[in-house]
């Protein structure tokens, strides 16, 4: 706690000289560390009004909102960052937040794009596919869910853990259809 207070003091000294976004962000992180989340959000909100393309600010605001249980607002913050730079890691985060907040259609939109854009990437992640499969199952489209799981099986065939997860999810999809 003392280190957060010390850090806040340092950032406040910098901010007296000039308002610099990274210094405001440092103060926000210090406030968060002290449990002063409302004050951190207020300060960050003011920063984002002045610096509308400050991606780290949107990321932090999304984190603060998500940690407070406001996944819908967290999703909005990630979407604001996506409007500036449509990065895959933010699309994935927006998809997960949409899923958490119950916006299945939006979650499907984001995660479908993550899977499509990432299929030839070195950074593709089997979780993207399993999340998309889960969304299809939630929507009652078990056939499409299995199709996505087949892609996982092909793209990550050398991973025993993934193979096992795919088989479990396929079994769940068959069970949802009432088939043994």
């Amino acid at each position: 706690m003392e280190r957060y207070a010390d850090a806040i003091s340092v950032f406040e000294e910098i901010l007296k000289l000039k308002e610099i976004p990274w210094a405001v962000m440092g103060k926000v992180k210090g406030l968060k560390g002290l449990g002063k989340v409302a004050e951190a959000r207020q300060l960050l909100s003011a920063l984002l009004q002045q610096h509308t393309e400050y991606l780290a600010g949107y990321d932090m605001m999304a984190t603060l909102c998500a940690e407070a249980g406001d996944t819908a607002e967290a999703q909005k913050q990630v979407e604001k960052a996506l409007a500036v730079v449509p990065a895959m890691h933010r699309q994935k985060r927006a998809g997960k937040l949409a899923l958490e907040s119950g916006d299945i259609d939006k979650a499907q939109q984001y995660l479908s794009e993550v899977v499509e854009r990432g299929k030839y990437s070195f950074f593709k992640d089997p979780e993207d596919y399993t999340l998309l499969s889960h969304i299809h199952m939630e929507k009652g489209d078990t056939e499409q869910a299995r199709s996505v799981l087949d892609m996982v099986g092909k793209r990550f065939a050398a991973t025993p853990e993934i193979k096992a997860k795919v088989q479990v999810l396929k079994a769940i999809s068959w069970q949802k259809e009432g088939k043994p």
Side-chain angles (χ1 to χ4, degrees), residues 129-130 132-134 136-137 140-154 166-179:
Y129 295 81
T130 56
L132 183 57
S133 174
H134 172 73
H136 286 300
M137 280 193 256
D141 191 353
T142 53
E143 191 174 313
Q144 186 62 34
R146 285 190 297 277
S147 175
V148 172
L149 291 170
D150 287 340
M151 285 189 274
V152 176
K154 291 175 187 167
V166 165
Q167 292 307 313
V168 168
L169 290 170
K170 280 186 174 182
I172 291 169
S173 77
W174 287 113
Q175 186 179 27
K176 283 187 175 272
E177 289 181 1
K179 298 176 182 174

PDB file of all heavy atoms in Angstrom, residues 129-130 132-134 136-137 140-154 166-179:
ATOM      1  N   TYR A 129     -11.278 -20.965 -30.718  1.00  0.00           N
ATOM      2  CA  TYR A 129     -12.154 -21.928 -31.372  1.00  0.00           C
ATOM      3  C   TYR A 129     -13.149 -22.533 -30.383  1.00  0.00           C
ATOM      4  O   TYR A 129     -14.332 -22.684 -30.704  1.00  0.00           O
ATOM      5  CB  TYR A 129     -11.330 -23.046 -32.020  1.00  0.00           C
ATOM      6  CG  TYR A 129     -10.453 -22.578 -33.154  1.00  0.00           C
ATOM      7  CD1 TYR A 129      -9.223 -21.971 -32.917  1.00  0.00           C
ATOM      8  CD2 TYR A 129     -10.865 -22.751 -34.473  1.00  0.00           C
ATOM      9  CE1 TYR A 129      -8.428 -21.544 -33.962  1.00  0.00           C
ATOM     10  CE2 TYR A 129     -10.066 -22.332 -35.532  1.00  0.00           C
ATOM     11  CZ  TYR A 129      -8.847 -21.727 -35.258  1.00  0.00           C
ATOM     12  OH  TYR A 129      -8.068 -21.308 -36.301  1.00  0.00           O
ATOM     13  N   THR A 130     -12.658 -22.889 -29.197  1.00  0.00           N
ATOM     14  CA  THR A 130     -13.568 -23.506 -28.226  1.00  0.00           C
ATOM     15  C   THR A 130     -14.611 -22.503 -27.734  1.00  0.00           C
ATOM     16  O   THR A 130     -15.765 -22.877 -27.502  1.00  0.00           O
ATOM     17  CB  THR A 130     -12.801 -24.140 -27.051  1.00  0.00           C
ATOM     18  OG1 THR A 130     -11.958 -23.182 -26.425  1.00  0.00           O
ATOM     19  CG2 THR A 130     -11.973 -25.326 -27.526  1.00  0.00           C
ATOM     20  N   LEU A 132     -15.814 -20.023 -29.559  1.00  0.00           N
ATOM     21  CA  LEU A 132     -16.759 -19.890 -30.673  1.00  0.00           C
ATOM     22  C   LEU A 132     -17.681 -21.104 -30.731  1.00  0.00           C
ATOM     23  O   LEU A 132     -18.881 -20.976 -30.937  1.00  0.00           O
ATOM     24  CB  LEU A 132     -16.009 -19.700 -31.992  1.00  0.00           C
ATOM     25  CG  LEU A 132     -16.872 -19.472 -33.226  1.00  0.00           C
ATOM     26  CD1 LEU A 132     -17.790 -18.265 -33.060  1.00  0.00           C
ATOM     27  CD2 LEU A 132     -15.974 -19.296 -34.455  1.00  0.00           C
ATOM     28  N   SER A 133     -17.126 -22.268 -30.506  1.00  0.00           N
ATOM     29  CA  SER A 133     -17.939 -23.487 -30.473  1.00  0.00           C
ATOM     30  C   SER A 133     -18.985 -23.407 -29.363  1.00  0.00           C
ATOM     31  O   SER A 133     -20.156 -23.756 -29.560  1.00  0.00           O
ATOM     32  CB  SER A 133     -17.034 -24.703 -30.262  1.00  0.00           C
ATOM     33  OG  SER A 133     -17.800 -25.863 -30.096  1.00  0.00           O
ATOM     34  N   HIS A 134     -18.576 -22.930 -28.212  1.00  0.00           N
ATOM     35  CA  HIS A 134     -19.490 -22.760 -27.074  1.00  0.00           C
ATOM     36  C   HIS A 134     -20.644 -21.818 -27.449  1.00  0.00           C
ATOM     37  O   HIS A 134     -21.807 -22.074 -27.123  1.00  0.00           O
ATOM     38  CB  HIS A 134     -18.719 -22.220 -25.871  1.00  0.00           C
ATOM     39  CG  HIS A 134     -19.569 -21.835 -24.719  1.00  0.00           C
ATOM     40  ND1 HIS A 134     -20.183 -22.754 -23.894  1.00  0.00           N
ATOM     41  CD2 HIS A 134     -19.944 -20.619 -24.257  1.00  0.00           C
ATOM     42  CE1 HIS A 134     -20.889 -22.113 -22.981  1.00  0.00           C
ATOM     43  NE2 HIS A 134     -20.757 -20.821 -23.176  1.00  0.00           N
ATOM     44  N   HIS A 136     -21.837 -21.222 -30.448  1.00  0.00           N
ATOM     45  CA  HIS A 136     -22.745 -21.921 -31.372  1.00  0.00           C
ATOM     46  C   HIS A 136     -23.660 -22.871 -30.591  1.00  0.00           C
ATOM     47  O   HIS A 136     -24.850 -22.975 -30.904  1.00  0.00           O
ATOM     48  CB  HIS A 136     -21.959 -22.685 -32.434  1.00  0.00           C
ATOM     49  CG  HIS A 136     -21.357 -21.805 -33.481  1.00  0.00           C
ATOM     50  ND1 HIS A 136     -22.106 -20.990 -34.301  1.00  0.00           N
ATOM     51  CD2 HIS A 136     -20.063 -21.601 -33.843  1.00  0.00           C
ATOM     52  CE1 HIS A 136     -21.309 -20.332 -35.125  1.00  0.00           C
ATOM     53  NE2 HIS A 136     -20.066 -20.682 -34.866  1.00  0.00           N
ATOM     54  N   MET A 137     -23.105 -23.542 -29.581  1.00  0.00           N
ATOM     55  CA  MET A 137     -23.947 -24.432 -28.775  1.00  0.00           C
ATOM     56  C   MET A 137     -24.998 -23.644 -28.005  1.00  0.00           C
ATOM     57  O   MET A 137     -26.150 -24.076 -27.904  1.00  0.00           O
ATOM     58  CB  MET A 137     -23.088 -25.265 -27.821  1.00  0.00           C
ATOM     59  CG  MET A 137     -22.447 -26.450 -28.511  1.00  0.00           C
ATOM     60  SD  MET A 137     -21.761 -27.615 -27.344  1.00  0.00           S
ATOM     61  CE  MET A 137     -20.028 -27.256 -27.504  1.00  0.00           C
ATOM     62  N   GLY A 140     -27.835 -22.981 -30.043  1.00  0.00           N
ATOM     63  CA  GLY A 140     -28.545 -24.172 -30.513  1.00  0.00           C
ATOM     64  C   GLY A 140     -28.033 -24.727 -31.816  1.00  0.00           C
ATOM     65  O   GLY A 140     -28.613 -25.661 -32.380  1.00  0.00           O
ATOM     66  N   ASP A 141     -26.947 -24.181 -32.340  1.00  0.00           N
ATOM     67  CA  ASP A 141     -26.391 -24.645 -33.609  1.00  0.00           C
ATOM     68  C   ASP A 141     -25.252 -25.623 -33.333  1.00  0.00           C
ATOM     69  O   ASP A 141     -24.070 -25.313 -33.512  1.00  0.00           O
ATOM     70  CB  ASP A 141     -25.904 -23.452 -34.436  1.00  0.00           C
ATOM     71  CG  ASP A 141     -25.554 -23.836 -35.868  1.00  0.00           C
ATOM     72  OD1 ASP A 141     -25.565 -25.052 -36.188  1.00  0.00           O
ATOM     73  OD2 ASP A 141     -25.275 -22.924 -36.655  1.00  0.00           O
ATOM     74  N   THR A 142     -25.627 -26.830 -32.884  1.00  0.00           N
ATOM     75  CA  THR A 142     -24.619 -27.814 -32.485  1.00  0.00           C
ATOM     76  C   THR A 142     -23.799 -28.323 -33.674  1.00  0.00           C
ATOM     77  O   THR A 142     -22.632 -28.657 -33.501  1.00  0.00           O
ATOM     78  CB  THR A 142     -25.288 -28.992 -31.751  1.00  0.00           C
ATOM     79  OG1 THR A 142     -26.350 -29.495 -32.571  1.00  0.00           O
ATOM     80  CG2 THR A 142     -25.848 -28.556 -30.403  1.00  0.00           C
ATOM     81  N   GLU A 143     -24.403 -28.357 -34.841  1.00  0.00           N
ATOM     82  CA  GLU A 143     -23.659 -28.796 -36.026  1.00  0.00           C
ATOM     83  C   GLU A 143     -22.511 -27.833 -36.333  1.00  0.00           C
ATOM     84  O   GLU A 143     -21.387 -28.244 -36.618  1.00  0.00           O
ATOM     85  CB  GLU A 143     -24.606 -28.904 -37.226  1.00  0.00           C
ATOM     86  CG  GLU A 143     -23.978 -29.599 -38.414  1.00  0.00           C
ATOM     87  CD  GLU A 143     -24.984 -29.825 -39.528  1.00  0.00           C
ATOM     88  OE1 GLU A 143     -26.096 -30.289 -39.249  1.00  0.00           O
ATOM     89  OE2 GLU A 143     -24.623 -29.522 -40.686  1.00  0.00           O
ATOM     90  N   GLN A 144     -22.789 -26.530 -36.263  1.00  0.00           N
ATOM     91  CA  GLN A 144     -21.748 -25.528 -36.492  1.00  0.00           C
ATOM     92  C   GLN A 144     -20.702 -25.594 -35.376  1.00  0.00           C
ATOM     93  O   GLN A 144     -19.515 -25.409 -35.623  1.00  0.00           O
ATOM     94  CB  GLN A 144     -22.354 -24.121 -36.583  1.00  0.00           C
ATOM     95  CG  GLN A 144     -21.355 -23.049 -36.952  1.00  0.00           C
ATOM     96  CD  GLN A 144     -20.719 -23.257 -38.322  1.00  0.00           C
ATOM     97  OE1 GLN A 144     -21.329 -23.755 -39.250  1.00  0.00           O
ATOM     98  NE2 GLN A 144     -19.468 -22.878 -38.452  1.00  0.00           N
ATOM     99  N   ALA A 145     -21.152 -25.866 -34.159  1.00  0.00           N
ATOM    100  CA  ALA A 145     -20.218 -26.009 -33.039  1.00  0.00           C
ATOM    101  C   ALA A 145     -19.229 -27.137 -33.323  1.00  0.00           C
ATOM    102  O   ALA A 145     -18.022 -26.980 -33.105  1.00  0.00           O
ATOM    103  CB  ALA A 145     -20.978 -26.282 -31.743  1.00  0.00           C
ATOM    104  N   ARG A 146     -19.738 -28.273 -33.795  1.00  0.00           N
ATOM    105  CA  ARG A 146     -18.850 -29.391 -34.119  1.00  0.00           C
ATOM    106  C   ARG A 146     -17.930 -29.057 -35.288  1.00  0.00           C
ATOM    107  O   ARG A 146     -16.777 -29.484 -35.322  1.00  0.00           O
ATOM    108  CB  ARG A 146     -19.667 -30.661 -34.402  1.00  0.00           C
ATOM    109  CG  ARG A 146     -20.230 -31.291 -33.136  1.00  0.00           C
ATOM    110  CD  ARG A 146     -20.812 -32.671 -33.403  1.00  0.00           C
ATOM    111  NE  ARG A 146     -21.934 -32.647 -34.311  1.00  0.00           N
ATOM    112  CZ  ARG A 146     -23.199 -32.380 -33.957  1.00  0.00           C
ATOM    113  NH1 ARG A 146     -23.478 -32.119 -32.702  1.00  0.00           N
ATOM    114  NH2 ARG A 146     -24.168 -32.393 -34.859  1.00  0.00           N
ATOM    115  N   SER A 147     -18.415 -28.280 -36.242  1.00  0.00           N
ATOM    116  CA  SER A 147     -17.580 -27.864 -37.371  1.00  0.00           C
ATOM    117  C   SER A 147     -16.384 -27.050 -36.876  1.00  0.00           C
ATOM    118  O   SER A 147     -15.251 -27.249 -37.323  1.00  0.00           O
ATOM    119  CB  SER A 147     -18.413 -27.052 -38.358  1.00  0.00           C
ATOM    120  OG  SER A 147     -17.610 -26.551 -39.389  1.00  0.00           O
ATOM    121  N   VAL A 148     -16.647 -26.133 -35.946  1.00  0.00           N
ATOM    122  CA  VAL A 148     -15.561 -25.330 -35.367  1.00  0.00           C
ATOM    123  C   VAL A 148     -14.610 -26.239 -34.588  1.00  0.00           C
ATOM    124  O   VAL A 148     -13.388 -26.096 -34.673  1.00  0.00           O
ATOM    125  CB  VAL A 148     -16.125 -24.203 -34.470  1.00  0.00           C
ATOM    126  CG1 VAL A 148     -15.005 -23.503 -33.708  1.00  0.00           C
ATOM    127  CG2 VAL A 148     -16.912 -23.199 -35.303  1.00  0.00           C
ATOM    128  N   LEU A 149     -15.155 -27.201 -33.865  1.00  0.00           N
ATOM    129  CA  LEU A 149     -14.316 -28.134 -33.107  1.00  0.00           C
ATOM    130  C   LEU A 149     -13.455 -28.988 -34.036  1.00  0.00           C
ATOM    131  O   LEU A 149     -12.314 -29.327 -33.698  1.00  0.00           O
ATOM    132  CB  LEU A 149     -15.181 -29.014 -32.204  1.00  0.00           C
ATOM    133  CG  LEU A 149     -15.839 -28.285 -31.039  1.00  0.00           C
ATOM    134  CD1 LEU A 149     -16.847 -29.182 -30.352  1.00  0.00           C
ATOM    135  CD2 LEU A 149     -14.797 -27.769 -30.058  1.00  0.00           C
ATOM    136  N   ASP A 150     -13.983 -29.322 -35.212  1.00  0.00           N
ATOM    137  CA  ASP A 150     -13.182 -30.054 -36.192  1.00  0.00           C
ATOM    138  C   ASP A 150     -11.973 -29.229 -36.624  1.00  0.00           C
ATOM    139  O   ASP A 150     -10.875 -29.766 -36.814  1.00  0.00           O
ATOM    140  CB  ASP A 150     -14.024 -30.448 -37.411  1.00  0.00           C
ATOM    141  CG  ASP A 150     -15.008 -31.570 -37.111  1.00  0.00           C
ATOM    142  OD1 ASP A 150     -14.815 -32.295 -36.116  1.00  0.00           O
ATOM    143  OD2 ASP A 150     -15.986 -31.697 -37.876  1.00  0.00           O
ATOM    144  N   MET A 151     -12.182 -27.921 -36.774  1.00  0.00           N
ATOM    145  CA  MET A 151     -11.057 -27.037 -37.127  1.00  0.00           C
ATOM    146  C   MET A 151      -9.999 -27.066 -36.028  1.00  0.00           C
ATOM    147  O   MET A 151      -8.801 -27.098 -36.313  1.00  0.00           O
ATOM    148  CB  MET A 151     -11.539 -25.602 -37.336  1.00  0.00           C
ATOM    149  CG  MET A 151     -12.267 -25.364 -38.627  1.00  0.00           C
ATOM    150  SD  MET A 151     -12.562 -23.603 -38.916  1.00  0.00           S
ATOM    151  CE  MET A 151     -14.092 -23.351 -38.038  1.00  0.00           C
ATOM    152  N   VAL A 152     -10.441 -27.058 -34.774  1.00  0.00           N
ATOM    153  CA  VAL A 152      -9.497 -27.101 -33.648  1.00  0.00           C
ATOM    154  C   VAL A 152      -8.696 -28.387 -33.732  1.00  0.00           C
ATOM    155  O   VAL A 152      -7.468 -28.389 -33.600  1.00  0.00           O
ATOM    156  CB  VAL A 152     -10.219 -27.036 -32.282  1.00  0.00           C
ATOM    157  CG1 VAL A 152      -9.225 -27.169 -31.152  1.00  0.00           C
ATOM    158  CG2 VAL A 152     -11.003 -25.770 -32.138  1.00  0.00           C
ATOM    159  N   GLY A 153      -9.402 -29.486 -33.957  1.00  0.00           N
ATOM    160  CA  GLY A 153      -8.737 -30.777 -34.038  1.00  0.00           C
ATOM    161  C   GLY A 153      -7.677 -30.828 -35.131  1.00  0.00           C
ATOM    162  O   GLY A 153      -6.625 -31.432 -34.947  1.00  0.00           O
ATOM    163  N   LYS A 154      -7.941 -30.163 -36.255  1.00  0.00           N
ATOM    164  CA  LYS A 154      -6.980 -30.161 -37.363  1.00  0.00           C
ATOM    165  C   LYS A 154      -5.807 -29.210 -37.096  1.00  0.00           C
ATOM    166  O   LYS A 154      -4.663 -29.528 -37.390  1.00  0.00           O
ATOM    167  CB  LYS A 154      -7.678 -29.756 -38.661  1.00  0.00           C
ATOM    168  CG  LYS A 154      -8.649 -30.788 -39.178  1.00  0.00           C
ATOM    169  CD  LYS A 154      -9.401 -30.276 -40.387  1.00  0.00           C
ATOM    170  CE  LYS A 154     -10.493 -31.262 -40.787  1.00  0.00           C
ATOM    171  NZ  LYS A 154     -11.430 -30.699 -41.749  1.00  0.00           N
ATOM    172  N   VAL A 166     -11.687 -31.170 -27.181  1.00  0.00           N
ATOM    173  CA  VAL A 166     -12.543 -31.241 -28.370  1.00  0.00           C
ATOM    174  C   VAL A 166     -13.520 -32.403 -28.232  1.00  0.00           C
ATOM    175  O   VAL A 166     -14.723 -32.260 -28.517  1.00  0.00           O
ATOM    176  CB  VAL A 166     -11.695 -31.364 -29.662  1.00  0.00           C
ATOM    177  CG1 VAL A 166     -12.538 -31.807 -30.840  1.00  0.00           C
ATOM    178  CG2 VAL A 166     -11.000 -30.048 -29.961  1.00  0.00           C
ATOM    179  N   GLN A 167     -13.031 -33.545 -27.788  1.00  0.00           N
ATOM    180  CA  GLN A 167     -13.907 -34.709 -27.648  1.00  0.00           C
ATOM    181  C   GLN A 167     -14.997 -34.466 -26.602  1.00  0.00           C
ATOM    182  O   GLN A 167     -16.157 -34.827 -26.799  1.00  0.00           O
ATOM    183  CB  GLN A 167     -13.094 -35.962 -27.306  1.00  0.00           C
ATOM    184  CG  GLN A 167     -12.196 -36.428 -28.439  1.00  0.00           C
ATOM    185  CD  GLN A 167     -12.957 -36.620 -29.746  1.00  0.00           C
ATOM    186  OE1 GLN A 167     -14.022 -37.226 -29.783  1.00  0.00           O
ATOM    187  NE2 GLN A 167     -12.416 -36.073 -30.836  1.00  0.00           N
ATOM    188  N   VAL A 168     -14.635 -33.816 -25.492  1.00  0.00           N
ATOM    189  CA  VAL A 168     -15.619 -33.505 -24.456  1.00  0.00           C
ATOM    190  C   VAL A 168     -16.673 -32.539 -24.997  1.00  0.00           C
ATOM    191  O   VAL A 168     -17.879 -32.741 -24.806  1.00  0.00           O
ATOM    192  CB  VAL A 168     -14.927 -32.911 -23.198  1.00  0.00           C
ATOM    193  CG1 VAL A 168     -15.943 -32.311 -22.244  1.00  0.00           C
ATOM    194  CG2 VAL A 168     -14.095 -33.977 -22.501  1.00  0.00           C
ATOM    195  N   LEU A 169     -16.232 -31.494 -25.691  1.00  0.00           N
ATOM    196  CA  LEU A 169     -17.180 -30.521 -26.236  1.00  0.00           C
ATOM    197  C   LEU A 169     -18.078 -31.140 -27.312  1.00  0.00           C
ATOM    198  O   LEU A 169     -19.261 -30.825 -27.401  1.00  0.00           O
ATOM    199  CB  LEU A 169     -16.436 -29.299 -26.778  1.00  0.00           C
ATOM    200  CG  LEU A 169     -15.796 -28.410 -25.710  1.00  0.00           C
ATOM    201  CD1 LEU A 169     -14.890 -27.370 -26.351  1.00  0.00           C
ATOM    202  CD2 LEU A 169     -16.860 -27.748 -24.866  1.00  0.00           C
ATOM    203  N   LYS A 170     -17.515 -32.042 -28.109  1.00  0.00           N
ATOM    204  CA  LYS A 170     -18.341 -32.728 -29.101  1.00  0.00           C
ATOM    205  C   LYS A 170     -19.391 -33.598 -28.409  1.00  0.00           C
ATOM    206  O   LYS A 170     -20.550 -33.643 -28.836  1.00  0.00           O
ATOM    207  CB  LYS A 170     -17.483 -33.574 -30.041  1.00  0.00           C
ATOM    208  CG  LYS A 170     -16.818 -32.779 -31.135  1.00  0.00           C
ATOM    209  CD  LYS A 170     -16.109 -33.703 -32.112  1.00  0.00           C
ATOM    210  CE  LYS A 170     -15.563 -32.919 -33.276  1.00  0.00           C
ATOM    211  NZ  LYS A 170     -14.910 -33.803 -34.266  1.00  0.00           N
ATOM    212  N   ALA A 171     -18.998 -34.261 -27.338  1.00  0.00           N
ATOM    213  CA  ALA A 171     -19.950 -35.080 -26.587  1.00  0.00           C
ATOM    214  C   ALA A 171     -21.075 -34.214 -26.016  1.00  0.00           C
ATOM    215  O   ALA A 171     -22.250 -34.600 -26.055  1.00  0.00           O
ATOM    216  CB  ALA A 171     -19.230 -35.831 -25.464  1.00  0.00           C
ATOM    217  N   ILE A 172     -20.717 -33.042 -25.533  1.00  0.00           N
ATOM    218  CA  ILE A 172     -21.726 -32.120 -25.010  1.00  0.00           C
ATOM    219  C   ILE A 172     -22.673 -31.694 -26.136  1.00  0.00           C
ATOM    220  O   ILE A 172     -23.886 -31.621 -25.937  1.00  0.00           O
ATOM    221  CB  ILE A 172     -21.060 -30.893 -24.342  1.00  0.00           C
ATOM    222  CG1 ILE A 172     -20.356 -31.322 -23.060  1.00  0.00           C
ATOM    223  CG2 ILE A 172     -22.076 -29.791 -24.061  1.00  0.00           C
ATOM    224  CD1 ILE A 172     -19.444 -30.244 -22.457  1.00  0.00           C
ATOM    225  N   SER A 173     -22.113 -31.435 -27.323  1.00  0.00           N
ATOM    226  CA  SER A 173     -22.978 -31.024 -28.443  1.00  0.00           C
ATOM    227  C   SER A 173     -23.942 -32.140 -28.826  1.00  0.00           C
ATOM    228  O   SER A 173     -25.108 -31.886 -29.123  1.00  0.00           O
ATOM    229  CB  SER A 173     -22.141 -30.582 -29.647  1.00  0.00           C
ATOM    230  OG  SER A 173     -21.610 -31.688 -30.343  1.00  0.00           O
ATOM    231  N   TRP A 174     -23.461 -33.392 -28.814  1.00  0.00           N
ATOM    232  CA  TRP A 174     -24.355 -34.514 -29.136  1.00  0.00           C
ATOM    233  C   TRP A 174     -25.413 -34.665 -28.055  1.00  0.00           C
ATOM    234  O   TRP A 174     -26.577 -34.934 -28.351  1.00  0.00           O
ATOM    235  CB  TRP A 174     -23.556 -35.811 -29.278  1.00  0.00           C
ATOM    236  CG  TRP A 174     -22.747 -35.879 -30.536  1.00  0.00           C
ATOM    237  CD1 TRP A 174     -21.394 -35.876 -30.643  1.00  0.00           C
ATOM    238  CD2 TRP A 174     -23.243 -35.946 -31.875  1.00  0.00           C
ATOM    239  NE1 TRP A 174     -21.012 -35.937 -31.965  1.00  0.00           N
ATOM    240  CE2 TRP A 174     -22.130 -35.978 -32.741  1.00  0.00           C
ATOM    241  CE3 TRP A 174     -24.516 -35.965 -32.436  1.00  0.00           C
ATOM    242  CZ2 TRP A 174     -22.256 -36.042 -34.130  1.00  0.00           C
ATOM    243  CZ3 TRP A 174     -24.629 -36.033 -33.816  1.00  0.00           C
ATOM    244  CH2 TRP A 174     -23.512 -36.071 -34.640  1.00  0.00           C
ATOM    245  N   GLN A 175     -25.013 -34.458 -26.810  1.00  0.00           N
ATOM    246  CA  GLN A 175     -25.959 -34.558 -25.694  1.00  0.00           C
ATOM    247  C   GLN A 175     -27.059 -33.480 -25.821  1.00  0.00           C
ATOM    248  O   GLN A 175     -28.218 -33.761 -25.562  1.00  0.00           O
ATOM    249  CB  GLN A 175     -25.209 -34.408 -24.369  1.00  0.00           C
ATOM    250  CG  GLN A 175     -26.075 -34.635 -23.150  1.00  0.00           C
ATOM    251  CD  GLN A 175     -25.290 -34.490 -21.866  1.00  0.00           C
ATOM    252  OE1 GLN A 175     -24.295 -33.780 -21.804  1.00  0.00           O
ATOM    253  NE2 GLN A 175     -25.747 -35.199 -20.836  1.00  0.00           N
ATOM    254  N   LYS A 176     -26.681 -32.279 -26.242  1.00  0.00           N
ATOM    255  CA  LYS A 176     -27.672 -31.216 -26.430  1.00  0.00           C
ATOM    256  C   LYS A 176     -28.707 -31.587 -27.481  1.00  0.00           C
ATOM    257  O   LYS A 176     -29.823 -31.110 -27.452  1.00  0.00           O
ATOM    258  CB  LYS A 176     -26.983 -29.890 -26.803  1.00  0.00           C
ATOM    259  CG  LYS A 176     -26.336 -29.195 -25.633  1.00  0.00           C
ATOM    260  CD  LYS A 176     -25.844 -27.826 -26.053  1.00  0.00           C
ATOM    261  CE  LYS A 176     -25.309 -27.057 -24.899  1.00  0.00           C
ATOM    262  NZ  LYS A 176     -26.318 -26.291 -24.186  1.00  0.00           N
ATOM    263  N   GLU A 177     -28.305 -32.443 -28.418  1.00  0.00           N
ATOM    264  CA  GLU A 177     -29.235 -32.897 -29.453  1.00  0.00           C
ATOM    265  C   GLU A 177     -30.018 -34.129 -28.992  1.00  0.00           C
ATOM    266  O   GLU A 177     -30.841 -34.640 -29.735  1.00  0.00           O
ATOM    267  CB  GLU A 177     -28.465 -33.238 -30.734  1.00  0.00           C
ATOM    268  CG  GLU A 177     -27.919 -32.028 -31.446  1.00  0.00           C
ATOM    269  CD  GLU A 177     -27.185 -32.401 -32.725  1.00  0.00           C
ATOM    270  OE1 GLU A 177     -27.103 -33.594 -33.090  1.00  0.00           O
ATOM    271  OE2 GLU A 177     -26.687 -31.475 -33.388  1.00  0.00           O
ATOM    272  N   GLY A 178     -29.713 -34.592 -27.790  1.00  0.00           N
ATOM    273  CA  GLY A 178     -30.422 -35.761 -27.272  1.00  0.00           C
ATOM    274  C   GLY A 178     -29.883 -37.078 -27.808  1.00  0.00           C
ATOM    275  O   GLY A 178     -30.530 -38.108 -27.717  1.00  0.00           O
ATOM    276  N   LYS A 179     -28.674 -37.039 -28.329  1.00  0.00           N
ATOM    277  CA  LYS A 179     -28.050 -38.241 -28.867  1.00  0.00           C
ATOM    278  C   LYS A 179     -26.995 -38.729 -27.878  1.00  0.00           C
ATOM    279  O   LYS A 179     -26.279 -37.935 -27.280  1.00  0.00           O
ATOM    280  CB  LYS A 179     -27.409 -37.959 -30.225  1.00  0.00           C
ATOM    281  CG  LYS A 179     -28.419 -37.532 -31.266  1.00  0.00           C
ATOM    282  CD  LYS A 179     -27.760 -37.175 -32.566  1.00  0.00           C
ATOM    283  CE  LYS A 179     -28.785 -36.703 -33.575  1.00  0.00           C
ATOM    284  NZ  LYS A 179     -28.178 -36.216 -34.799  1.00  0.00           N
TER     285      LYS A 179
END
